[in-house]
Amino acid sequence: MIVVGVAVGVLAAVFASEPHISLHDIPILTVGALLLLPLGLLAGQEAFSINSPLWSLCFEMIASVVYGSAARRKIRLWGDVAFLALFAVALFQVVGIEGTIGPVGFSSWRTFLEGFVRVGFSFFAGVLIFRWNINHHVGRVPPQIPLFILIVVLFLPFSVPRGLYDFFCITIIIPVVVALAAAVPPNQERPLAAYFGLLSYPLYAIHQPIIRLGAQFQSLTDGVIPLAITVSGTLLAAIAAAHFLFTHFDKPIRAYMGRKFSVN
């Protein structure tokens, strides 16, 4: 899916005008994206300007390696709390410097280094939710509760300073949503939710270049087509492409690799 996302990103780089990417930079940006290396910064671009969401996959790979190396070490509860608190303090400083979490991880060398703090807190918080069995302590949670909290966060009805909003969401709201969602009883089938879960990664891998292509289409039509129609069409195109890629590409390849490289 990374390869597919990069391929769509190259098409967007060639045909879309925003952000402007020189044709001479496309080869190095493509190689960097395929290897999950921030080579875009060397070309004066964003770290992964071919397909910017790849920045998070880069950091998740690094976080997984670090965690895999240290996971067997016994750390007491107070050590976990202290470590997470240090990450939270560092994240507060990062948000204070940038004014928002948006560019952290990919927009410049500075924000790329700050990305270790951004991903480090969230990754470690997720690990601790699992390690401390928080969902078992919470008990049974109706699925409507985490969904309602998430909707309120996305459509906040009152004004809050951007940096404070980002920090509060990352350090408190989203971990609470994850913990509550993990406590939802798994014995009831929810096919739509399961489908969205399966679709989420292919959609994440391709959505950004498709949005850029949709924006270019809107620019070329010069307002003849209403913006709402273009936005709706772009959303449907991204979902349709993600569905096709999941059913005809991602799922079959995963099944093949599961058979060929089975740990059993």
Side-chain angles (χ1 to χ4, degrees):
M1 286 309 306
I2 290 176
V3 174
V4 173
V6 171
V8 180
V10 169
L11 291 176
V14 172
F15 295 106
S17 58
E18 293 294 337
H20 177 70
I21 297 176
S22 170
L23 293 178
H24 299 290
D25 292 334
I26 289 180
I28 189 173
L29 295 176
T30 301
V31 171
L34 290 173
L35 298 178
L36 293 181
L37 295 174
L39 299 186
L41 297 174
L42 300 177
Q45 299 278 347
E46 291 183 349
F48 300 95
S49 52
I50 282 288
N51 190 1
S52 59
L54 293 178
W55 79 267
S56 67
L57 300 183
C58 167
F59 280 100
E60 285 164 20
M61 289 286 189
I62 296 172
S64 295
V65 170
V66 172
Y67 177 67
S69 302
R72 292 183 178 145
R73 297 184 181 180
K74 274 289 185 181
I75 302 177
R76 296 183 182 276
L77 177 62
W78 64 266
D80 285 341
V81 173
F83 200 58
L84 191 63
L86 286 174
F87 263 123
V89 171
L91 184 64
F92 185 79
Q93 293 296 323
V94 167
V95 173
I97 292 171
E98 303 301 336
T100 175
I101 201 65
V104 175
F106 59 89
S107 67
S108 66
W109 280 111
R110 183 184 71 193
T111 57
F112 180 79
L113 294 176
E114 292 169 346
F116 287 98
V117 176
R118 176 179 183 177
V119 174
F121 177 89
S122 298
F123 186 94
F124 191 58
V127 167
L128 294 186
I129 288 173
F130 172 77
R131 186 184 287 179
W132 294 345
N133 291 319
I134 290 180
N135 56 313
H136 294 149
H137 296 299
V138 170
R140 298 169 64 91
V141 174
Q144 293 82 2
I145 293 179
L147 184 60
F148 174 76
I149 295 174
L150 190 59
I151 291 174
V152 170
V153 170
L154 293 175
F155 300 96
L156 199 65
F158 50 89
S159 178
V160 177
R162 179 66 183 272
L164 183 63
Y165 171 82
D166 289 350
F167 176 76
F168 187 70
C169 285
I170 293 172
T171 57
I172 298 178
I173 298 298
I174 299 303
V176 167
V177 169
V178 171
L180 292 177
V184 172
N187 54 358
Q188 182 179 352
E189 289 189 10
R190 297 180 178 86
L192 183 61
Y195 172 73
F196 284 154
L198 294 171
L199 205 65
S200 62
Y201 177 59
L203 183 60
Y204 185 74
I206 64 169
H207 78 279
Q208 198 262 1
I210 289 181
I211 289 174
R212 283 157 52 195
L213 290 170
Q216 180 66 16
F217 173 80
Q218 179 68 19
S219 176
L220 292 175
T221 58
D222 197 23
V224 174
I225 297 178
L227 179 61
I229 293 180
T230 301
V231 170
S232 301
T234 302
L235 174 63
L236 292 175
I239 293 175
H243 173 81
F244 176 83
L245 289 170
F246 170 71
T247 55
H248 292 80
F249 181 74
D250 189 39
K251 185 177 179 181
I253 290 181
R254 285 176 183 269
Y256 168 76
M257 295 181 69
R259 293 192 301 269
K260 190 170 182 63
F261 303 104
S262 174
V263 294
N264 297 323

